[in-house]
Amino acid sequence: MLTVHHLNNSRSQRVLWLLEELGVAYEIVRYQRQADMRAPKELRAIHPLGKSPVITDNGNTIAESGAIIEYLIATYGNGRLIPPPNTPERLRYTYWLHYAEGSAMQPLLLKLLFTLMPKRAPALLRPLVRKVCNQALTALVNPQIKQHMDYWEGELAKSEWFAGSEFTAADIQMSFPLEAAQARGGLEQGHPKAMAFLERIHARPAYARALERGGPYQVGR
């Protein structure tokens, strides 16, 4: 049976959601983050990088969210959750599927890093680390996040979903950046289309079922 190696509060929640949308049977092997928020070393026994998400299926071990989504859609989708080939929607689908991790998550991860660093610095160095991190956030990271959020807002003004008028796996992939932006990027300030997107995905029955299977889920904590 297909197995999802599921790390709490991680991108693997999207994999559970996709499987629920497709109605594919699967089992979960659970892993808990360590105190430093890193994945436990046990995940390295599944994949050398020891990161999540990872799935195993029919002798294959597949990592990376985009690669997993492509595999699941090709293997179990039967044409669902993907636009027809050689259409503008298909091109948009491919773009958003890769943009989510290739571009959108980078500034959001930097935001998390620069927010955590002062809290974990030695007491004597904490004021200096906080000053440097705040400067980086103000000058570099926060403007990039706002640029991306404004971009999403403009694109979602053109169509209800990222690839067009129909919900696709690209929307599942894009859920994590938008949820992270809501958690730590100020998405709720001036981005009603993006916030409405989150409301729509959170109302989907398959999303709720994935939460039941995966357990508590908080992005950016």
Side-chain angles (χ1 to χ4, degrees), residues 134-195:
N134 286 341
Q135 288 177 341
L137 287 169
T138 301
L140 177 64
V141 177
N142 289 339
Q144 285 190 38
I145 292 175
K146 185 178 185 306
Q147 184 179 25
H148 282 280
M149 293 190 302
D150 291 346
Y151 176 43
W152 306 336
E153 187 71 12
E155 292 300 304
L156 288 170
K158 299 175 184 177
S159 60
E160 186 175 15
W161 302 106
F162 276 101
S165 60
E166 300 293 329
F167 174 80
T168 70
D171 298 297
I172 295 176
Q173 180 77 326
M174 281 298 297
S175 67
F176 197 86
L178 268 72
E179 288 175 332
Q182 182 186 27
R184 57 179 179 263
L187 184 68
E188 70 281 359
Q189 300 172 10
H191 303 96
K193 299 292 186 183
M195 292 299 294

Side-chain angles (χ1 to χ4, degrees), residues 9 11 33 37 104-116 137 141-142 145-146 149 176-189 218-221:
N9 291 336
R11 292 160 169 83
R33 291 184 182 275
M37 297 303 293
M105 282 306 301
Q106 294 180 28
L108 290 162
L109 289 171
L110 286 173
K111 173 91 171 183
L112 179 62
L113 176 64
F114 286 130
T115 301
L116 290 177
L137 287 169
V141 177
N142 289 339
I145 292 175
K146 185 178 185 306
M149 293 190 302
F176 197 86
L178 268 72
E179 288 175 332
Q182 182 186 27
R184 57 179 179 263
L187 184 68
E188 70 281 359
Q189 300 172 10
Q218 293 180 309
V219 178
R221 300 296 189 270

Side-chain angles (χ1 to χ4, degrees), residues 30-209:
R30 300 178 187 277
Y31 304 83
Q32 291 294 315
R33 291 184 182 275
Q34 302 176 112
D36 60 6
M37 297 303 293
R38 290 186 296 179
K41 62 182 181 181
E42 288 79 5
L43 264 172
R44 292 179 191 163
I46 309 302
H47 188 276
L49 293 181
K51 295 182 180 295
S52 182
V54 178
I55 67 169
T56 52
D57 186 40
N58 293 322
N60 300 306
T61 299
I62 306 163
E64 294 294 338
S65 300
I68 291 171
I69 289 175
E70 289 197 42
Y71 172 83
L72 293 176
I73 290 295
T75 306
Y76 299 104
N78 295 318
R80 294 172 293 167
L81 301 184
I82 184 171
N86 302 316
T87 62
E89 290 79 10
R90 182 63 163 265
L91 184 59
R92 287 172 59 83
Y93 169 90
T94 302
Y95 169 76
W96 292 111
L97 196 65
H98 295 280
Y99 161 89
E101 293 294 333
S103 296
M105 282 306 301
Q106 294 180 28
L108 290 162
L109 289 171
L110 286 173
K111 173 91 171 183
L112 179 62
L113 176 64
F114 286 130
T115 301
L116 290 177
M117 282 177 62
K119 301 175 183 178
R120 299 183 178 181
L124 291 176
L125 295 176
R126 200 165 295 152
L128 176 60
V129 173
R130 181 177 295 108
K131 181 178 180 180
V132 171
C133 289
N134 286 341
Q135 288 177 341
L137 287 169
T138 301
L140 177 64
V141 177
N142 289 339
Q144 285 190 38
I145 292 175
K146 185 178 185 306
Q147 184 179 25
H148 282 280
M149 293 190 302
D150 291 346
Y151 176 43
W152 306 336
E153 187 71 12
E155 292 300 304
L156 288 170
K158 299 175 184 177
S159 60
E160 186 175 15
W161 302 106
F162 276 101
S165 60
E166 300 293 329
F167 174 80
T168 70
D171 298 297
I172 295 176
Q173 180 77 326
M174 281 298 297
S175 67
F176 197 86
L178 268 72
E179 288 175 332
Q182 182 186 27
R184 57 179 179 263
L187 184 68
E188 70 281 359
Q189 300 172 10
H191 303 96
K193 299 292 186 183
M195 292 299 294
F197 169 87
L198 289 179
E199 291 179 6
R200 289 195 298 276
I201 65 171
H202 293 162
R204 294 184 70 85
Y207 186 97
R209 292 196 301 271

